[in-house]
Amino acid sequence: MNRPSPEKRADYCPPSRPWQALSSPRGRGILLALLLGGLAAIGGLARAEVPALAAEGVDHYTLALTWHPGFCATRSRPPRECREPSLRRGAEDGFVLHGLWPSLPARLRAQGVARRRWWREGCFLERPRPEGGFCRAHPPLALPEPQEHALDRAMPGRAGCLDRYQYAKHAACLGIAAEDLFATALAMVAAINASAFADFVGLHRGGEVRRNELIGAFEAAFGEGTGRALRLVCRGRGSRILTEVRIGIDADALARFPEAGSLVRQDRGRCAARVRVAAFD
């Protein structure tokens, strides 16, 4: 946790007496997450090795993971990956991949590019986005067949060329090969979905949970203070439906993800105090 945020986390409220807090509903949820994590460790659950990426001048990455039922529930015109049951299989594993986003590169910062503009436009600053959809304008990415199959499941939006868009916007101008970007991202998705945090979210599928319980479950899985690396994204009326989580990762510590020392602070999210964890019918 080595990049203190200038912005106070209004949605992060650690208990002042941890043992006393275990008797509360939030504490019981955290305890359950800890127990699940312990059982996973006893069972010899292996964490996928996370490959490093060779982007120069990037100090951190943001891993964006979608809660697929929540994403679909908040879309007025659900895309193909929401309409077709065969494209929902990845949701059975937990979170699915939205993207892995490098921070503002040093060379663009030196040119006066603002961080907000980088997040909005990314590599399109240097390689303008072509007219028309990415499926028409960009050929399929040349990925190894096993990676193709893994990405089909872990990234349902790939049916709408989300993989091509994510690569073109966030990596193509940084000298990162598509195969490397998605190898790293897939290993990270696997690490999160194998964690007690994903188990905790899955246990509340179809119900509600307090926002701070989600943050507490993240800390129970990955270490005290790591909740500051988690940004919760909610949509729908009153920002009550969980659609995504975003996790900050030190660029020099990708191979140690999701250890506590690999995580960096995120700006706070804007979810309501109570969050709905949607489920597919």
Side-chain angles (χ1 to χ4, degrees):
M1 307 300 299
N2 54 352
R3 289 190 182 85
S5 171
E7 188 172 3
K8 183 179 179 180
R9 281 295 303 264
D11 60 345
Y12 174 71
C13 304
S16 57
R17 298 179 181 179
W19 291 108
Q20 188 177 50
L22 288 177
S23 62
S24 68
R26 173 182 180 271
R28 289 194 294 271
I30 295 172
L31 182 59
L32 177 60
L34 283 167
L35 289 172
L36 286 169
L39 289 173
I42 292 170
L45 183 63
R47 176 172 63 84
E49 182 178 350
V50 177
L53 291 174
E56 293 184 3
V58 169
D59 62 13
H60 72 276
Y61 290 82
T62 299
L63 176 66
L65 300 177
T66 298
W67 186 253
H68 198 36
F71 166 77
C72 293
T74 57
R75 302 286 290 186
S76 58
R77 299 178 63 183
R80 180 183 169 192
E81 62 266 26
C82 296
R83 302 191 309 268
E84 297 184 15
S86 64
L87 297 176
R88 299 178 182 177
R89 293 177 303 143
E92 299 170 5
D93 303 327
F95 292 97
V96 297
L97 178 63
H98 180 175
L100 181 60
W101 307 332
S103 63
L104 176 65
R107 62 179 172 79
L108 293 182
R109 189 185 305 117
Q111 296 172 22
V113 174
R115 185 181 69 166
R116 186 180 297 271
R117 188 180 178 199
W118 166 253
W119 286 126
R120 185 175 64 248
E121 301 180 47
C123 289
F124 300 142
L125 286 166
E126 298 182 329
R127 304 181 182 184
R129 177 175 176 170
E131 295 182 1
F134 269 76
C135 287
R136 292 195 300 270
H138 288 72
L141 298 173
L143 302 174
E145 187 174 349
Q147 193 178 71
E148 293 260 0
H149 294 318
L151 202 54
D152 282 340
R153 185 178 182 99
M155 190 183 221
R158 193 166 185 248
C161 296
L162 179 61
D163 58 332
R164 303 183 209 179
Y165 177 82
Q166 288 293 309
Y167 178 69
K169 180 179 180 181
H170 294 288
C173 65
L174 300 180
I176 303 174
E179 179 181 345
D180 294 338
L181 178 73
F182 289 113
T184 300
L186 285 169
M188 289 180 167
V189 175
I192 294 298
N193 283 340
S195 73
F197 172 65
D199 289 337
F200 180 86
V201 177
L203 283 170
H204 289 85
R205 194 189 302 258
E208 285 192 351
V209 64
R210 294 181 186 275
R211 177 188 61 213
N212 279 357
E213 286 182 312
L214 288 168
I215 297 170
F218 191 86
E219 290 206 352
F222 303 116
E224 183 178 356
T226 58
R228 297 180 179 89
L230 176 69
R231 179 184 176 120
L232 301 173
V233 180
C234 298
R235 307 291 185 197
R237 186 174 182 179
S239 297
R240 292 178 57 89
I241 301 176
L242 180 68
T243 59
E244 189 162 286
V245 299
R246 297 176 184 173
I247 303 168
I249 310 150
D250 190 323
D252 294 328
L254 292 181
R256 293 191 284 114
F257 179 84
E259 294 176 7
S262 71
L263 305 180
V264 298
R265 294 187 180 191
Q266 294 279 290
D267 293 339
R268 64 185 178 89
R270 295 184 179 180
C271 291
R274 292 193 66 86
V275 174
R276 179 186 164 204
V277 182
F280 285 125
D281 297 331

